[in-house]
Amino acid sequence: MYCFSLVRCHIRLIAPVTLKPSLRYSTGNTQTLRFLRRNHVKGVVLSRPVIPLPVQRCAIHTTPKREAGLPVILIALWKPIAKFVAVVMGRGIRQWWGTLPTHQKGTVWDHFRRNKYRYFTGIGTFTAAFGVFYVSNLRETPITKRKRFLPFTNYQYHKIVEYEYSTILQTYDGKFLPVTHPAYSRVLRVANRLVKSNGDIKEMSDKQWTVAVVQDETVNAFVLPTGHIFVLTGLLDKVGASDEQLGFILGHEMAHSLLSHGAETVLQDYFLQAVVIVFMCFLWALMPNDGIAQVSDWFSNKIVDIFLEKPRSRMLEEEADFVGMHLAAKACFDVRESSMFFEMVHLTKKIKDEEELPVYLSTHPADDARASNLNSLVPQVSSCEGGL
């Protein structure tokens, strides 16, 4: 067998794999029968997919040991509650100030002038405390060593992902391909190759990877932070017979999971929203009426989205491209084909005369720019021999 990757591939004999079937039931309003075949290779578990029947609860649990932290329900609801409180407080301050007699307004300003140093000290103390909290919760990405703010505990984040996983199972109920389907066998083979070849990465070997293929025309694939791989048949149709392109795409999606991009996005969204909510309170207090406050609020949210959230999302996609290419190269996929997928997507859009969103409005880099970036990464992969 020839290896067409640009990296040196170390070929070693692996003991025969023993498939161990197990029978599990999930109860709820309906029953679900799941037949799991687990493939054990060097501590890495790549599961046969759940044979999907009507699902109410997830039969596979990868939740780590419970840790202290905020209740998950508070994490999920704090944004809408905080926004509501900010609006109510801002309107209340505006109405209170509007009804205050002129002489009392002067008294309030005199109070602030007399105690300005106390207020400045309080604000400075809070800012310093938050700075310490922020710095103490900076963590490195496991592969690229990039610093990012991650104050969530693993337990809290995994509970959120578990809910997302059960929602996905219900969304695609009845559309999962059986384990005997050729498309499923293909995805499993490619995913196994990626997992086995990158077992030296701790985050890769620590996860229990599972595969599910969904009958859906959407061109998409995604991997949850817990290692659940979902591939839609629309993507398989798009890549055709090229396992090289599929290997890169799965490597890209697995990179999101390995780098905990989901947790990073959720946390930074909450951090950003906290700042925005404080701004909202001042905005609703200072604007002369609710209409102007609503328009100003909408405008400020658009500014945050375009100049902060969208660029961050594109940066994470580029990082996943970089790591995904290395994962695919170590699995002996020809990474020179990684750019072909995006070139094909870009060409298809031009032929169909489909309008592309301006880059600044998109969560992903433009397809042609992405292909160019992948081509520029190919020489770097040649130095990836045995590790990232």
Side-chain angles (χ1 to χ4, degrees):
M1 178 182 292
Y2 291 95
C3 174
F4 294 98
S5 172
L6 298 181
V7 302
R8 182 188 306 158
C9 290
H10 305 280
I11 301 174
R12 56 177 179 268
L13 294 176
I14 300 176
V17 173
T18 303
L19 294 178
K20 300 180 180 180
S22 63
L23 219 54
R24 299 190 181 186
Y25 292 85
S26 177
T27 58
N29 296 333
T30 57
Q31 268 195 339
T32 299
L33 175 62
R34 292 182 174 185
F35 185 72
L36 305 179
R37 296 180 183 272
R38 290 193 171 178
N39 182 354
H40 297 269
V41 181
K42 298 193 69 166
V44 179
V45 181
L46 187 60
S47 301
R48 287 282 189 178
V50 178
I51 296 181
L53 297 173
V55 175
Q56 288 296 330
R57 297 190 186 128
C58 172
I60 302 174
H61 297 282
T62 58
T63 307
K65 183 178 178 181
R66 182 166 185 150
E67 302 173 19
L70 291 174
V72 175
I73 188 64
L74 291 182
I75 296 174
L77 295 179
W78 92 271
K79 276 205 300 186
I81 293 175
K83 284 186 175 182
F84 174 77
V85 171
V87 171
V88 171
M89 285 184 61
R91 289 187 65 196
I93 292 171
R94 174 167 25 102
Q95 292 173 358
W96 167 76
W97 184 257
T99 58
L100 206 63
T102 304
H103 68 280
Q104 290 189 10
K105 289 180 180 178
T107 303
V108 171
W109 284 118
D110 288 341
H111 169 79
F112 278 109
R113 280 193 290 268
R114 288 196 305 271
N115 297 277
K116 60 182 178 182
Y117 294 112
R118 291 183 181 179
Y119 287 110
F120 289 151
T121 301
I123 293 172
T125 302
F126 174 80
T127 303
F130 182 79
V132 172
F133 173 73
Y134 182 87
V135 172
S136 63
N137 283 282
L138 286 176
R139 303 175 189 176
E140 285 186 343
T141 54
I143 297 172
T144 57
K145 306 303 179 184
R146 177 176 56 84
K147 296 275 190 180
R148 75 269 181 86
F149 178 60
L150 274 183
F152 262 169
T153 65
N154 287 334
Y155 169 74
Q156 292 167 337
Y157 186 59
H158 275 266
K159 290 299 288 183
I160 295 174
V161 174
E162 279 184 4
Y163 174 77
E164 182 182 5
Y165 177 53
S166 63
T167 302
I168 291 170
L169 291 180
Q170 293 179 27
T171 300
Y172 294 124
D173 184 24
K175 295 184 177 181
F176 290 91
L177 298 183
V179 296
T180 55
H181 196 284
Y184 168 75
S185 299
R186 178 191 180 191
V187 173
L188 180 65
R189 181 181 69 252
V190 171
N192 248 323
R193 190 167 154 185
L194 286 164
V195 172
K196 292 176 185 178
S197 301
N198 292 277
D200 58 312
I201 301 173
K202 182 178 182 299
E203 289 74 18
M204 179 72 84
S205 59
D206 283 349
K207 291 184 186 293
Q208 290 191 339
W209 300 94
T210 67
V211 167
V213 181
V214 182
Q215 184 69 49
D216 192 290
E217 294 181 357
T218 307
V219 180
N220 195 21
F222 54 93
V223 179
L224 298 185
T226 44
H228 300 300
I229 302 170
F230 292 87
V231 178
L232 279 58
T233 53
L235 174 68
L236 298 178
D237 293 338
K238 180 67 73 173
V239 299
S242 174
D243 280 356
E244 316 304 319
Q245 294 180 29
L246 180 60
F248 165 73
I249 292 170
L250 288 186
H252 168 92
E253 298 301 333
M254 293 168 79
H256 280 305
S257 179
L258 296 175
L259 297 168
S260 300
H261 280 172
E264 179 178 353
T265 299
V266 170
L267 263 298
Q268 292 190 3
D269 281 346
Y270 277 89
F271 169 71
L272 187 59
Q273 286 298 323
V275 177
V276 170
I277 284 168
V278 174
F279 175 74
M280 280 179 59
C281 185
F282 281 101
L283 190 67
W284 281 81
L286 296 175
M287 292 296 105
N289 58 63
D290 290 352
I292 296 177
Q294 288 178 343
V295 172
S296 301
D297 184 27
W298 174 86
F299 182 75
S300 62
N301 284 332
K302 286 296 179 183
I303 293 295
V304 169
D305 180 58
I306 293 173
F307 291 99
L308 294 177
E309 293 181 351
K310 291 292 195 302
R312 182 189 64 208
S313 177
R314 292 193 293 270
M315 182 269 292
L316 296 182
E317 290 298 323
E318 291 174 355
E319 185 177 46
D321 279 348
F322 173 78
V323 174
M325 180 173 279
H326 281 75
L327 298 179
K330 287 176 67 180
C332 292
F333 288 106
D334 186 355
V335 294
R336 291 171 296 185
E337 289 197 30
S338 60
S339 62
M340 293 177 63
F341 175 78
F342 296 102
E343 289 172 351
M344 179 175 57
V345 171
H346 178 64
L347 182 60
T348 302
K349 289 180 179 178
K350 291 189 74 172
I351 292 173
K352 293 183 178 180
D353 200 23
E354 294 180 4
E355 285 190 20
E356 285 193 68
L357 280 175
V359 175
Y360 64 87
L361 293 178
S362 177
T363 57
H364 289 62
D367 295 323
D368 54 344
R370 198 168 184 180
S372 299
N373 181 57
L374 289 171
N375 285 329
S376 69
L377 291 176
V378 169
Q380 300 181 36
V381 177
S382 60
S383 64
C384 176
E385 300 182 0
L388 288 172

